[in-house]
Amino acid sequence: MHMLSDDLGHLSYDVAGDGPPVVLIHAGVADHRMWDAVVPALAEQHTVIRYDLRGFGESAPPTGPFSESDDLRRLLDHLGHDRVRLVGASWGGRVAVDFTLAHPARVHSLAILAAPWPRYDWSADMIAYDEAETAALGAGDLDAAVNINLDMWLRGPSRGWADVADGLADQLRGPLRTSLVNQDLVGEHSVGPGTGDLAAIAVPALVGVGKLDVADFQDIARRYAAAIPGATLVEFPTAAHLIALDAPAEVGSVLGQFLAR
């Protein structure tokens, strides 16, 4: 991993392959390693850039107000890329959307996998998950909070653990733990999602959703697909919320075709 360090903070990043640049932005319960199984296929045709959002993985937590879009802009400036293809998972998908709205000239195409919708009217199941996580963290039981998140985001509501690929929970446990430790700092200092008009997005767009994800995110995916002009909706039948972990071969294939546009 490489490190971008300046007066605004420290961001950890990795670069692989050669060709037109594509940036992979991880989910809010993971870090850059969630893309490990997808990178080799994409790196055959692209320069693949992965980084840890601030407070995740090896990137330092914030010490003051910051913008995820500004952090991405700093990274692209540091690497010398004027225009890139963006791929974001979950919260990383929202970062990708916000960056596209804030810096449209710097985005060649946009792919979002299970991105959240700001100020969404969450279901009772999602509210119960949030309350359970808050209670576990309030009791100082980080392990319980990790397990609550693994149940919600990796296993999902539609399958048992026997149906989840071996090793994924162990792979995610460490990055998830780091995200939970830092989430109050990140939440306190992040300026949050943007408020731009999705109808202004004028680049090729792909919206992905796992058929085994919670119903909220299946609804949200359809909202994004309807709101972004010309967007293509792709459903991944064997995936829950973390599509790149559940279906890396399918994600690599779909992205490979989309990014070639």
Side-chain angles (χ1 to χ4, degrees), residues 123-138:
S123 68
D125 287 344
M126 281 291 292
I127 293 171
Y129 145 75
D130 182 66
E131 290 175 345
E133 181 201 85
T134 299
L137 293 174

Side-chain angles (χ1 to χ4, degrees), residues 186-218:
V186 172
E188 175 186 351
H189 292 304
S190 171
V191 300
T195 57
D197 182 6
L198 296 176
I201 294 177
V203 297
L206 181 147
V207 179
V209 64
K211 290 286 285 181
L212 305 180
D213 200 353
V214 297
D216 301 61
F217 278 91
Q218 297 189 47

Side-chain angles (χ1 to χ4, degrees), residues 4 8 10-11 23-28 51-56 59-77 86 89-103 106 116 179 182-194:
L4 164 61
L8 297 178
H10 307 278
L11 294 177
V23 181
L24 307 180
I25 312 174
H26 64 79
Y51 71 107
D52 289 333
L53 293 165
R54 207 187 297 220
F56 295 84
S59 291
T63 57
F66 79 101
S67 159
E68 281 89 353
S69 287
D70 286 347
D71 279 350
L72 178 52
R73 178 186 52 78
R74 287 168 51 222
L75 178 61
L76 298 185
D77 289 347
L86 287 184
S90 193
W91 174 240
R94 189 62 217 186
V95 173
V97 168
D98 289 346
F99 185 87
T100 302
L101 291 169
H103 306 284
R106 303 200 67 169
S179 75
N182 291 329
Q183 74 173 4
D184 284 347
L185 273 175
V186 172
E188 175 186 351
H189 292 304
S190 171
V191 300

Side-chain angles (χ1 to χ4, degrees), residues 20-24 42 45-46 84-88 96 100 107-113 201-208 228-234 236 250-261:
V22 54
V23 181
L24 307 180
L42 297 184
Q45 301 292 332
H46 295 87
V84 299
R85 292 150 171 82
L86 287 184
V87 180
T100 302
V107 179
H108 179 277
S109 61
L110 170 69
I112 56 174
L113 307 176
I201 294 177
V203 297
L206 181 147
V207 179
I228 299 174
T232 299
L233 178 66
V234 178
F236 293 86
E250 293 86 344
V251 169
S253 176
V254 167
L255 288 180
Q257 295 177 48
F258 174 72
L259 296 173
R261 296 171 64 179

